[in-house]
Amino acid sequence: MKFKLILDKSQEEAVIATVHERSALTDEIEALVLRSAGTDRVSAYTEDGMRMLPFSDIECITVLDGKTYAITPAGERCRLKLRLYELEAILPASFIRINKSAIANETHLVRFTASFNGAVDAVFQSGYREYVSRRCFAEIKRRYDSK
């Protein structure tokens, strides 16, 4: 493995890693870069006011009635001002799309449950359940099979 550092004050800072495949090391590097860039949290609004919510404290991000909410391990719903596609751009690799209106944090997923009619739900540590679309479930299976 090679390491190359270029110091150029006229350029925007960027970290680019060329690897053969994603691994635990690449996930750690990504988390470190995001943390140091100050983008390891998002502003969330609750009844009590606003707070900075770390990505690690988010189980699921979902859209309800046209508004984006983050579900925490305590089962709390925090309103987010960003749209799902904006969040996808800044979230670490542990977040995966599970349907058209929800993104799940893999680290908080307990299991996937299948019902009698073939529908699949993602079950989180807090007990929160979210529907998993067939298209996204196929992608999740490919992701787990490659690990």
Side-chain angles (χ1 to χ4, degrees):
M1 185 180 290
K2 296 179 183 179
F3 178 77
K4 185 177 185 180
L5 179 66
I6 301 169
L7 301 173
D8 187 352
K9 292 184 180 185
S10 65
Q11 297 291 321
E12 180 182 357
E13 287 186 341
V15 176
I16 300 168
T18 305
V19 296
H20 294 285
E21 62 185 27
R22 184 174 273 295
S23 67
L25 177 61
T26 59
D27 290 341
E28 282 184 56
I29 292 169
E30 181 181 27
L32 177 66
V33 170
L34 291 175
R35 238 189 340 268
S36 66
T39 57
D40 65 338
R41 60 179 106 203
V42 65
S43 57
Y45 299 85
T46 61
E47 296 167 358
D48 301 334
M50 189 203 82
R51 67 178 172 146
M52 295 307 287
L53 186 63
F55 292 148
S56 60
D57 289 350
I58 298 174
E59 282 191 335
C60 183
I61 299 171
T62 187
V63 176
L64 302 167
D65 298 325
K67 296 179 179 148
T68 309
Y69 292 94
I71 311 297
T72 66
E76 180 184 21
R77 287 187 182 169
C78 302
R79 172 97 160 79
L80 305 176
K81 297 287 184 182
L82 298 173
R83 297 197 177 270
L84 258 132
Y85 71 89
E86 295 170 320
L87 289 163
E88 267 188 314
I90 61 171
L91 289 169
S94 63
F95 284 83
I96 52 175
R97 179 71 78 143
I98 58 173
N99 65 44
K100 187 177 176 182
S101 60
I103 302 171
N105 188 344
E106 275 187 298
T107 58
H108 291 277
L109 270 169
V110 175
R111 67 182 177 276
F112 293 100
T113 60
S115 62
F116 192 66
N117 64 1
V120 177
D121 284 347
V123 181
F124 297 91
Q125 292 171 347
S126 68
Y128 180 75
R129 299 171 78 96
E130 184 68 46
Y131 166 75
V132 180
S133 71
R134 287 191 308 247
R135 180 184 304 155
C136 292
F137 191 65
E139 180 60 34
I140 292 166
K141 282 175 47 177
R142 276 193 292 275
R143 185 172 173 164
Y144 281 120
D145 287 344
S146 68
K147 286 186 179 182

